[in-house]
Amino acid sequence: MTRVAWLVAGKDLRIEARSRVLLWQVLPFGVIALLLSGLALGPTHAGNSTAGPGLFYLVTLFVALLMINRSQALENAPGTRASVATLGLDPAGVFLGKALALTVELWITGLVLLGGSVLVLHTSLIGTVHALPSVLVTLAALAAAGTLYGALTQGGDGPATLLPVLTLPAFAPLLIAGERSYSAALHGGALWEWWVIVVVALVAYTAVGILLYGVLEES
Amino acid sequence: MTRVAWLVAGKDLRIEARSRVLLWQVLPFGVIALLLSGLALGPTHAGNSTAGPGLFYLVTLFVALLMINRSQALENAPGTRASVATLGLDPAGVFLGKALALTVELWITGLVLLGGSVLVLHTSLIGTVHALPSVLVTLAALAAAGTLYGALTQGGDGPATLLPVLTLPAFAPLLIAGERSYSAALHGGALWEWWVIVVVALVAYTAVGILLYGVLEES
Amino acid sequence: MPGDQAVVRLVNAVVLSKGFPLLSGVNLEVDRGSLSVVTGANGAGKTSLLRLLAGLDSLTSGEGMVAGVNLNGGDLRLLRRRVGWLGHEGSFYADLSARENLEFAARALERPADEVGSALERVGLTHRVDTTTKQLSAGQRRRLGLAWLLVRRPELWLLDEPYASLDDAGRTFFDQLLREVVAAGATVVISAHDPLRSGGISPQHFHMVGGRMRTT
Amino acid sequence: MPGDQAVVRLVNAVVLSKGFPLLSGVNLEVDRGSLSVVTGANGAGKTSLLRLLAGLDSLTSGEGMVAGVNLNGGDLRLLRRRVGWLGHEGSFYADLSARENLEFAARALERPADEVGSALERVGLTHRVDTTTKQLSAGQRRRLGLAWLLVRRPELWLLDEPYASLDDAGRTFFDQLLREVVAAGATVVISAHDPLRSGGISPQHFHMVGGRMRTT
Amino acid sequence: MIKLSQRLLGPVTLVSLALTFWLGLWVTPPDVVQGDLVRLLYVHPPIAWVALYVSFGTATIASCLYLWPRTRSDVMDRVAYCAMEISVVFIALTLITGSIWGRPTWGVWWAWDARLTSTAILGVFALAYLALRRANDDPAVRARRSGVFAILTAINVPIIHFSVQWWKTLHQGASVLTSNGTLNVHGSMLWTMLLGFIGFTLLFFWLLRYRYRLEVKRDFVVATTVDEALALRRREGV
Ligand code: HEM
Ligand SMILES: Nc1ncnc2c1ncn2[C@@H]1O[C@H](COP(=O)(O)OP(=O)(O)OP(=O)(O)O)[C@@H](O)[C@H]1O
Ligand SMILES: Nc1ncnc2c1ncn2[C@@H]1O[C@H](COP(=O)(O)OP(=O)(O)OP(=O)(O)O)[C@@H](O)[C@H]1O
Ligand SMILES: [Mg+2]
Ligand SMILES: [Mg+2]
């Protein structure tokens, strides 16, 4: 399983590194979206630093959707699906590999966006550093969930538009927990309960992925 | 030009009507995103009805990105581009047709989302009705600009991720103007200057599209 | 101009893609009303040549004149309007049915709508007119491509491996179509690995190697 | 089990897609170590049949046993691992090079990495090993597909119109490959419009009409 | 004449910038209110002016000239590209000098102010332009697309400018030349600032020329490798 996971993760990251889409397209998009969200809310709300964590997660969510879609689209080029299916890769490994690659990509984006929200939304730097571990875990959970949902949507009609519908409700609790724990890190407050939610989500999605990804791939 | 425009718009709308992607995927996404944005900002900001217009436009923007991408992806299926190119359609007509179809789709989505923000974000109903004309014009401008930017991104690397990067800065002023005029409709205030911006943008994008779409299609 | 007869004239045509020369200096002259077959090993540049002639790719250096349009700075849209293209891939709106695709083409070209029905009948797709294109089989998609060309009636036909995935009846029909088309004065350039089967016309042969014509 | 020799056994196999019967009751038996050619008009159901055998589509009704796996409720992944598939489309990660694609396959199957180089050499792609797959020509993509199969070494080869877009040398190589493969005990099922060219082996012929085998 | 001015461009730029710094740092007096901070006046506005108007203007005009069939040439495409690239640098410098100035005067590095926001958005436009160029490999396609994009950007400049006016702006208004036409800055300060404008504008053109030549050289390198590639390709399969 781990062998396949490394293999798949390596392949995904290599394709990503080659196309530079993350660097040139996804990251700028995130930064602009952050700026725009600030704008859309107007100075009163955006200047208000309590909006920082919420906006950060909102933008991360949209970025994650783009990246999940890309990650699954790789497997869905005409013909690719059939050929790869006949390799008979262990689905648990494929799931782990794709989730891993997505995690790495989301971490990179997340760090840049955190930097952006410190600069642009006046979120406190120290608070943000404190929130870092919880952000990383939340992003990993997003990646695991996203890989699962991504596999659900592919192959049907208009996967790029189906994905958001399916994932948003699932991401909502993650979003809230992430935002709460980030806010708690900023303003002080009970952290651990949000941690529990996020960690449980990560473990649950990973477990479900390992167990059920095979069912999704069979079709 | 108008003949081609009708033909192309009819084709796009027919494909859309057949796949039902708008109805089953884009609209639910918009509604969920509206709910989530409310959540992400927490009760203090979202309950506050001043955030309504901003959130409405933010969500509409993301929905518009999905739809622009779909609208261009239709033309980019392997081989389609080449065959259609040999029809030698008048590019100004193609631009108008695609923009028209996109406008219709955005209007439908916009109406639903306006309803959503009245229900979910407690935006005033009467104010929203007053804002309707300006919202429709803003959405038409978004459609015109989006058709142009969509054509810019297709065929290159990672069109789905390149599109947001190119469009967001351009949509920012539209967003602001739309949001301001919506707010003005809600709370009273000078409307006409925002109208000027939105109408100028619509006219300018349409003019540029009619003149330059051919240059983009040449490739 | 001396070559009034030439529909295609390329002089030392080079096409680059990401720095790689798809065509490395092609000289070619094709007469009006002729049938030409371009052969060559895999990767020799046949598809690239046909794309250049269709105005789908642009010339990097050299000179070219196709269907009266100069490839350096001429109106490529005008050129595209004069050629018919049949590529490796099915070439339609995948979500529209066979009939809707052809109707779109017919309207775009301001052709009478009843040509659509007869074109579909000629290529043997009458039992699949309302099937969406993405559900058609590979060969049916090819046939739909031929129907599209029948509606188009271009003056220069560019066909990339037209025989691939056509069945026997399809090939016979295609050969007959070729004869008709050439007899009607159109020019046809096809790329092929299989030998031409039609007895009626004697094609001109061109052989490509390494991105250009083999010097014989 | 009586059919120890049969690698493929279909009894009245039906495959539906959106209510349309791609296969309408196929009976088929293919022996181990044999070469079978499935012919039929465009849209007859050849591709659908091969997809069913590869475990890519599932059986709606009827019975099927392929490479020891029951199509009703058996482990389709096990089946897929035993078959090699060459479809109409190039079948790889378009952004990886020819070599990287094969290395991925070799690693996935835990084959030694040096097989990759020799497979690429055998199919004649040595001068394109570092070209990304999306830039290869149609025939080169086919050849890469064959190389992938060489690395895979499956027990059941399912090839959908393998000759399409291969050049002459490619076809000769392919015929020779078929002979080797069959001699080594693997089973091959191909769909084709062109007659088989190889002299060495005598294939079994199946002809499809309207989604099933023509009763001869 | 053109040759001479080209030759002089470098030295004149250097001299005027050196003079600006000398005057700005040592000759002009500190301000009554701002103290030594006022010395940013000689740097920040000129840089901002180049970033917004000179470089974007150059890129837009060059793009228009490229798209106009009669004046279409690779020269114009290269000029547009190089100008946009330099504009990224100048916008970054504007943001940096502005932030440095903003920290002591407004108490924050960044604020949701009209001027600041529009500057940031323009920076994003320039980056998006570069991203678009990267995403297309065919030189002709790339040139056409980025040309259209530059023009679309130009449409946005006035729209951005007007649409952000509703914010009660923190940023300095027209403080040098007030609306009634009277001069607000005196003597040596005015001259130093003027010199700064000239110096940075010249710097832009000097950089442009440099960058352009680099681009030509790069194209030349590409061209020689193309010859090799052609030779290789012709030998294929023979
Ligand atoms: C990140 C922060 C800042 C940015 C992005 C910024 C941007 C700009 C831009 C784009 C211009 C050119 C405007 C035009 O020519 O139309 C400009 C001019 C100017 N800026 Fe800033 N600025 C910033 C901070 C500041 C600060 C803190 C001050 C002083 C307190 C300042 C003082 C000025 C002055 C005096 C001008 C010349 C205005 C005129 O005469 O029209 N800026 N700035
Ligand atoms: N970036 C690149 N680097 C290296 N080679 C490239 C690149 N892009 C294209 N090629 C090569 O250019 C050639 C294109 O050939 P083309 O598709 O015209 O061949 P063809 O004659 O149609 O072949 P086929 O018979 O296989 O269809 C191929 O050999 C391909 O490998
Ligand atoms: N939803 C549908 N409605 C009607 N017909 C359909 C539908 N889906 C598939 N088909 C038909 O099913 C058949 C599938 O055939 P398949 O692709 O297996 O043919 P094939 O024998 O491989 O043909 P070819 O030689 O052209 O490759 C086609 O005739 C196609 O038109
Ligand atoms: Mg080819
Ligand atoms: Mg088939």
Side-chain angles (χ1 to χ4, degrees):
Chain A
M1 189 168 84
T2 41
R3 191 182 58 81
V4 173
W6 284 119
L7 181 66
V8 170
K11 182 257 300 169
D12 274 21
L13 289 174
R14 168 173 295 183
I15 292 178
E16 203 47 58
R18 180 151 310 158
S19 63
R20 301 279 165 93
V21 165
L22 181 68
L23 183 67
W24 279 100
Q25 297 174 20
V26 176
L27 281 183
F29 165 67
V31 173
I32 302 166
L34 209 59
L35 277 171
L36 273 195
S37 318
L39 269 180
L41 290 176
T44 27
H45 294 282
N48 191 330
S49 73
T50 55
L55 286 181
F56 164 76
Y57 271 109
L58 199 60
V59 169
T60 303
L61 182 70
F62 285 114
V63 167
L65 285 179
L66 285 181
M67 280 160 55
I68 294 166
N69 206 47
R70 240 185 98 70
S71 155
Q72 285 293 335
L74 289 184
E75 310 293 327
N76 270 286
T80 305
R81 205 186 178 78
S83 303
V84 176
T86 63
L87 287 178
L89 290 171
D90 174 20
V94 174
F95 166 76
L96 277 182
K98 290 198 82 70
L100 196 67
L102 201 53
T103 304
V104 171
E105 293 166 26
L106 279 180
W107 280 357
I108 295 173
T109 329
L111 287 179
V112 172
L113 290 182
L114 279 182
S117 57
V118 169
L119 282 178
V120 170
L121 302 175
H122 308 307
T123 321
S124 131
L125 179 61
I126 296 170
T128 301
V129 171
H130 280 155
L132 202 57
S134 89
V135 170
L136 294 183
V137 176
T138 311
L139 292 181
L142 266 185
T147 305
L148 261 174
Y149 283 101
L152 273 178
T153 57
Q154 298 299 319
D157 288 343
T161 41
L162 183 56
L163 183 67
V165 184
L166 292 184
T167 46
L168 282 194
F171 287 174
L174 275 177
L175 247 183
I176 296 171
E179 194 263 343
R180 290 287 85 198
S181 72
Y182 191 171
S183 291
L186 286 180
H187 308 291
L191 259 174
W192 70 268
E193 32 185 317
W194 306 115
W195 266 95
V196 170
I197 294 181
V198 176
V199 170
V200 166
L202 174 58
V203 172
Y205 278 120
T206 310
V208 172
I210 290 177
L211 289 176
L212 294 185
Y213 204 71
V215 176
L216 296 180
E217 284 220 317
E218 240 169 59
S219 46
Chain B
M1 190 167 84
T2 41
R3 190 182 59 82
V4 173
W6 284 118
L7 182 65
V8 170
K11 182 257 301 169
D12 274 20
L13 288 174
R14 169 172 295 186
I15 292 178
E16 204 47 56
R18 181 151 309 159
S19 64
R20 301 280 164 94
V21 166
L22 181 68
L23 183 67
W24 283 105
Q25 297 174 19
V26 176
L27 284 183
F29 165 69
V31 173
I32 299 168
L34 211 57
L35 279 172
L36 271 195
S37 321
L39 275 178
L41 290 177
T44 26
H45 294 284
N48 191 329
S49 74
T50 53
L55 287 182
F56 163 76
Y57 271 109
L58 200 60
V59 169
T60 303
L61 182 70
F62 284 111
V63 168
L65 284 180
L66 285 180
M67 280 161 54
I68 294 165
N69 208 46
R70 236 185 99 71
S71 156
Q72 286 292 335
L74 289 183
E75 310 293 327
N76 269 287
T80 305
R81 205 187 179 79
S83 303
V84 176
T86 62
L87 287 179
L89 290 171
D90 174 20
V94 175
F95 166 76
L96 279 181
K98 290 198 82 71
L100 196 67
L102 201 53
T103 304
V104 171
E105 293 166 27
L106 278 180
W107 278 356
I108 295 172
T109 329
L111 288 178
V112 172
L113 289 182
L114 279 182
S117 58
V118 170
L119 285 178
V120 172
L121 303 174
H122 309 303
T123 320
S124 131
L125 179 61
I126 296 171
T128 302
V129 171
H130 280 156
L132 203 57
S134 88
V135 170
L136 294 183
V137 177
T138 310
L139 292 181
L142 268 186
T147 304
L148 266 171
Y149 282 103
L152 276 177
T153 57
Q154 297 299 319
D157 290 342
T161 42
L162 185 56
L163 183 68
V165 181
L166 295 190
T167 46
L168 283 195
F171 287 175
L174 278 176
L175 247 184
I176 297 171
E179 193 263 344
R180 287 288 86 199
S181 71
Y182 191 171
S183 291
L186 286 180
H187 309 290
L191 260 174
W192 71 268
E193 31 186 316
W194 307 115
W195 267 96
V196 170
I197 291 179
V198 176
V199 170
V200 165
L202 174 58
V203 171
Y205 279 120
T206 309
V208 172
I210 290 177
L211 288 176
L212 291 185
Y213 203 73
V215 175
L216 294 181
E217 287 223 316
E218 241 169 62
S219 45
Chain C
M1 226 173 67
D4 212 1
Q5 265 307 96
V7 175
V8 174
R9 180 194 309 268
L10 296 181
V11 180
N12 209 10
V14 173
V15 172
L16 291 183
S17 150
K18 308 198 184 195
F20 182 88
L22 299 177
L23 298 182
S24 59
V26 173
N27 295 304
L28 178 68
E29 200 152 311
V30 172
D31 288 342
R32 187 175 306 283
S34 69
L35 168 64
S36 310
V37 180
V38 181
T39 56
N42 289 140
K46 303 179 292 301
T47 302
S48 311
L49 175 66
L50 293 181
R51 286 184 63 87
L52 174 70
L53 297 184
L56 297 171
D57 283 339
S58 48
L59 204 57
T60 307
S61 74
E63 277 160 44
M65 194 82 180
V66 180
V69 175
N70 191 336
L71 294 184
N72 292 309
D75 182 359
L76 287 188
R77 197 156 39 248
L78 196 68
L79 169 57
R80 288 190 201 137
R81 202 190 265 269
R82 289 180 182 162
V83 305
W85 167 261
L86 185 68
H88 282 296
E89 303 110 339
S91 29
F92 315 92
Y93 294 108
D95 282 311
L96 293 182
S97 72
R99 192 210 309 272
E100 285 166 340
N101 266 304
L102 288 194
E103 275 170 0
F104 179 76
R107 292 243 205 94
L109 299 159
E110 300 181 82
R111 295 276 153 76
D114 53 334
E115 280 187 23
V116 168
S118 71
L120 282 170
E121 200 182 314
R122 284 195 65 188
V123 298
L125 281 180
T126 27
H127 58 309
R128 289 286 187 276
V129 283
D130 293 322
T131 309
T132 54
T133 312
K134 66 178 165 200
Q135 286 166 329
L136 293 178
S137 80
Q140 288 169 338
R141 236 172 284 160
R142 268 289 149 119
R143 284 160 179 259
L144 182 55
L146 289 177
W148 170 289
L149 290 178
L150 284 176
V151 173
R152 287 272 283 111
R153 275 190 273 126
E155 57 183 273
L156 175 59
W157 296 53
L158 302 169
L159 313 173
D160 197 8
E161 293 186 47
Y163 289 120
S165 65
L166 279 184
D167 61 15
D168 235 49
R171 291 176 192 201
T172 311
F173 162 75
F174 175 73
D175 286 332
Q176 185 203 328
L177 179 67
L178 273 192
R179 268 197 299 276
E180 276 178 38
V181 161
V182 173
T187 315
V188 181
V189 181
I190 74 179
S191 83
H193 294 300
D194 314 78
L196 263 202
R197 316 192 324 165
S198 57
I201 22 173
S202 53
Q204 218 177 333
H205 279 280
F206 297 97
H207 190 77
M208 292 192 77
V209 178
R212 54 181 187 164
M213 294 300 160
R214 187 178 53 191
T215 44
T216 36
Chain D
M1 224 173 67
D4 211 3
Q5 266 306 99
V7 175
V8 174
R9 181 194 308 269
L10 295 181
V11 180
N12 209 10
V14 173
V15 172
L16 291 183
S17 150
K18 307 198 181 192
F20 183 87
L22 300 177
L23 298 182
S24 58
V26 173
N27 294 303
L28 179 68
E29 201 152 313
V30 173
D31 288 343
R32 187 176 307 282
S34 69
L35 169 65
S36 310
V37 180
V38 182
T39 56
N42 288 140
K46 303 179 293 300
T47 302
S48 311
L49 175 65
L50 293 181
R51 285 183 63 88
L52 174 69
L53 297 184
L56 296 170
D57 282 341
S58 49
L59 204 57
T60 307
S61 75
E63 276 159 45
M65 192 83 180
V66 180
V69 175
N70 191 335
L71 295 184
N72 291 309
D75 183 359
L76 287 187
R77 195 155 42 249
L78 197 68
L79 169 56
R80 287 189 202 137
R81 204 191 266 270
R82 289 180 183 161
V83 306
W85 166 261
L86 184 68
H88 283 297
E89 303 111 339
S91 30
F92 314 92
Y93 294 109
D95 282 311
L96 293 183
S97 71
R99 192 210 309 271
E100 285 165 340
N101 266 304
L102 288 194
E103 274 170 1
F104 178 76
R107 292 242 205 94
L109 300 159
E110 301 180 79
R111 295 276 153 76
D114 52 334
E115 280 187 23
V116 168
S118 70
L120 283 170
E121 201 182 313
R122 283 197 66 189
V123 299
L125 280 179
T126 28
H127 57 309
R128 290 286 186 278
V129 285
D130 294 322
T131 308
T132 53
T133 311
K134 67 178 165 202
Q135 286 166 330
L136 292 179
S137 80
Q140 288 169 338
R141 238 172 283 161
R142 268 291 150 118
R143 284 159 178 260
L144 183 55
L146 290 177
W148 170 288
L149 290 177
L150 284 176
V151 172
R152 287 273 283 110
R153 276 191 272 124
E155 56 184 275
L156 175 60
W157 296 54
L158 301 169
L159 312 173
D160 198 7
E161 292 186 48
Y163 288 121
S165 66
L166 279 185
D167 61 14
D168 236 48
R171 290 175 190 201
T172 311
F173 162 74
F174 175 72
D175 286 332
Q176 186 202 328
L177 179 67
L178 273 191
R179 268 196 300 277
E180 275 178 39
V181 161
V182 173
T187 316
V188 181
V189 181
I190 74 179
S191 83
H193 294 299
D194 315 79
L196 264 203
R197 318 193 321 166
S198 57
I201 21 173
S202 54
Q204 219 178 329
H205 279 280
F206 296 97
H207 190 78
M208 292 192 77
V209 178
R212 52 186 191 159
M213 294 299 159
R214 188 178 51 192
T215 44
T216 37
Chain E
M1 185 64 199
I2 293 171
K3 267 265 162 61
L4 184 70
S5 64
Q6 274 187 2
R7 185 121 28 96
L8 284 178
L9 184 57
V12 173
T13 307
L14 259 178
V15 169
S16 52
L17 281 181
L19 260 178
T20 309
F21 280 103
W22 178 63
L23 289 171
L25 289 180
W26 285 287
V27 177
T28 53
D31 189 66
V32 199
V33 189
Q34 297 218 347
D36 278 334
L37 274 177
V38 79
R39 302 193 192 282
L40 277 165
L41 182 66
Y42 312 125
V43 185
H44 169 79
I47 289 179
W49 143 264
V50 171
L52 262 61
Y53 305 112
V54 180
S55 55
F56 263 89
T58 310
T60 309
I61 292 170
S63 298
C64 286
L65 289 178
Y66 181 86
L67 291 178
W68 185 252
R70 284 213 216 115
T71 47
R72 179 169 299 185
S73 80
D74 292 346
V75 176
M76 291 308 153
D77 180 47
R78 273 189 222 122
V79 168
Y81 173 44
C82 299
M84 205 61 103
E85 226 182 57
I86 299 171
S87 136
V88 172
V89 176
F90 273 87
I91 288 178
L93 285 176
T94 310
L95 292 172
I96 292 168
T97 51
S99 290
I100 292 172
W101 209 350
R103 181 68 197 172
T105 36
W106 306 334
V108 285
W109 297 102
W110 180 261
W112 288 108
D113 164 86
R115 190 38 72 66
L116 274 58
T117 308
S118 57
T119 311
I121 292 178
L122 276 181
V124 168
F125 262 120
L127 280 179
Y129 178 93
L130 299 185
L132 179 63
R133 284 194 80 95
R134 275 191 60 92
N136 290 284
D137 291 292
D138 182 338
V141 173
R142 185 177 57 206
R144 281 196 292 265
R145 293 190 168 187
S146 43
V148 172
F149 185 68
I151 289 174
L152 289 175
T153 309
I155 297 180
N156 274 289
V157 173
I159 294 179
I160 289 174
H161 190 80
F162 291 116
S163 67
V164 287
Q165 273 182 354
W166 58 279
W167 271 312
K168 41 178 189 348
T169 175
L170 275 174
H171 192 276
Q172 214 78 5
S175 43
V176 180
L177 192 65
T178 51
S179 47
N180 51 18
T182 49
L183 279 178
N184 213 346
V185 182
H186 301 289
S188 59
M189 289 173 79
L190 179 66
W191 290 116
T192 313
M193 203 173 152
L194 201 65
L195 201 61
F197 270 93
I198 295 170
F200 279 103
T201 306
L202 287 176
L203 177 65
F204 168 80
F205 284 107
W206 188 62
L207 284 175
L208 184 64
R209 181 156 167 268
Y210 219 76
R211 186 66 192 75
Y212 180 87
R213 282 191 177 171
L214 192 69
E215 202 58 22
V216 172
K217 250 183 218 147
R218 200 174 283 170
D219 282 359
F220 179 72
V221 173
V222 168
T224 50
T225 53
V226 161
D227 284 343
E228 287 164 25
L230 271 176
L232 255 181
R233 173 79 162 139
R234 285 177 181 150
R235 255 181 277 130
E236 254 173 35
V238 180

